Amino acid sequence: QQSISQSHPAHESVDLIQKAGWRVQKGVQQLLDFSRPATTTLTSLSINDTIETALSLVGEHIQSFGIGLETNLAENLPNVHGNARQLVDLWVNLLLLARDACGDGSQHKILLRTQIDERGRVQIEIGDDGEIVSAQEMATLFEPSFIKPDGGRGTGIELSICQEIVRQHFGEIEATSNNDEGTIIRIAFPVETTNG
């Protein structure tokens, strides 16, 4: 491999191309992972722990774009039955998609919150005040698409992968987007039950 010095005019373009290549490779790998038969490697785990791991991976990166990152993680949440690696991937994907929606150079904020919802499930919300999702886009938000829309939240492949991870954990995922609240992705997982 040839390396281009940081002072070279093409350095930034090459760097962006390389990062885009890694991102495509990761997306393809995730699609391959999901094409394999599902494994039963679900264990008792803390949702907050998986979120903290994801934040340690991409939190500083997101803040380097001048985006505020706030967390409000409820204490003493019950455990869920899950695959830690898949859940960390889920949060990383959703955080990076929120970052993409906040890429217009203005000051933005991403809020990540956990709580117990009205049905007793562990609920996770990832909200941002970036680009609003139109009603037309919302209708197919979680359907895979290989054509990247102008701006916005990834390609649709990422969100379909996120939906599949949630489905494999017997959870539900939904999205809302409006000018008052911004865009919020809500995910809910059943809590782990102990049968006496």
Side-chain angles (χ1 to χ4, degrees), residues 10-73:
H11 179 269
E12 187 176 351
S13 296
V14 170
D15 189 48
L16 289 172
I17 291 167
Q18 185 177 18
K19 286 177 180 172
W22 282 115
R23 189 166 181 193
V24 168
Q25 182 179 346
K26 183 178 179 186
V28 170
Q29 186 58 53
Q30 286 177 315
L31 288 171
L32 289 171
D33 288 346
F34 284 112
S35 69
R36 297 186 185 114
T39 60
T40 55
T41 54
L42 302 181
T43 59
S44 175
L45 54 79
S46 159
I47 284 292
N48 285 351
D49 286 350
T50 63
I51 290 171
E52 294 284 3
T53 300
L55 289 170
S56 73
L57 293 171
V58 296
E60 286 185 18
H61 169 72
I62 289 170
Q63 290 171 320
S64 74
F65 284 80
I67 299 168
L69 187 56
E70 293 184 21
T71 59
N72 182 1
L73 306 183

Side-chain angles (χ1 to χ4, degrees), residues 13-159:
S13 296
V14 170
D15 189 48
L16 289 172
I17 291 167
Q18 185 177 18
K19 286 177 180 172
W22 282 115
R23 189 166 181 193
V24 168
Q25 182 179 346
K26 183 178 179 186
V28 170
Q29 186 58 53
Q30 286 177 315
L31 288 171
L32 289 171
D33 288 346
F34 284 112
S35 69
R36 297 186 185 114
T39 60
T40 55
T41 54
L42 302 181
T43 59
S44 175
L45 54 79
S46 159
I47 284 292
N48 285 351
D49 286 350
T50 63
I51 290 171
E52 294 284 3
T53 300
L55 289 170
S56 73
L57 293 171
V58 296
E60 286 185 18
H61 169 72
I62 289 170
Q63 290 171 320
S64 74
F65 284 80
I67 299 168
L69 187 56
E70 293 184 21
T71 59
N72 182 1
L73 306 183
E75 295 182 5
N76 303 316
L77 286 176
N79 280 4
V80 302
H81 212 54
N83 179 298
R85 183 190 63 79
Q86 286 187 336
L87 291 175
V88 169
D89 282 349
L90 174 63
W91 313 134
V92 166
N93 270 326
L94 291 173
L95 285 165
L96 292 179
L97 291 172
R99 176 212 60 191
D100 290 349
C102 296
D104 61 4
S106 303
Q107 283 197 323
H108 288 287
K109 180 176 67 176
I110 296 172
L111 173 63
L112 204 157
R113 174 170 55 196
T114 60
Q115 60 192 3
I116 296 293
D117 73 3
E118 69 281 354
R119 290 168 56 186
R121 303 173 301 175
V122 174
Q123 184 181 71
I124 304 91
E125 291 184 356
I126 298 179
D128 66 77
D129 59 359
E131 184 178 342
I132 298 301
V133 180
S134 70
Q136 182 180 357
E137 292 172 313
M138 189 65 75
T140 58
L141 191 64
F142 295 105
E143 293 178 12
S145 168
F146 285 90
I147 302 171
K148 181 171 176 60
D150 294 333
R153 298 162 197 277
T155 62
I157 297 172
E158 295 99 328
L159 283 170

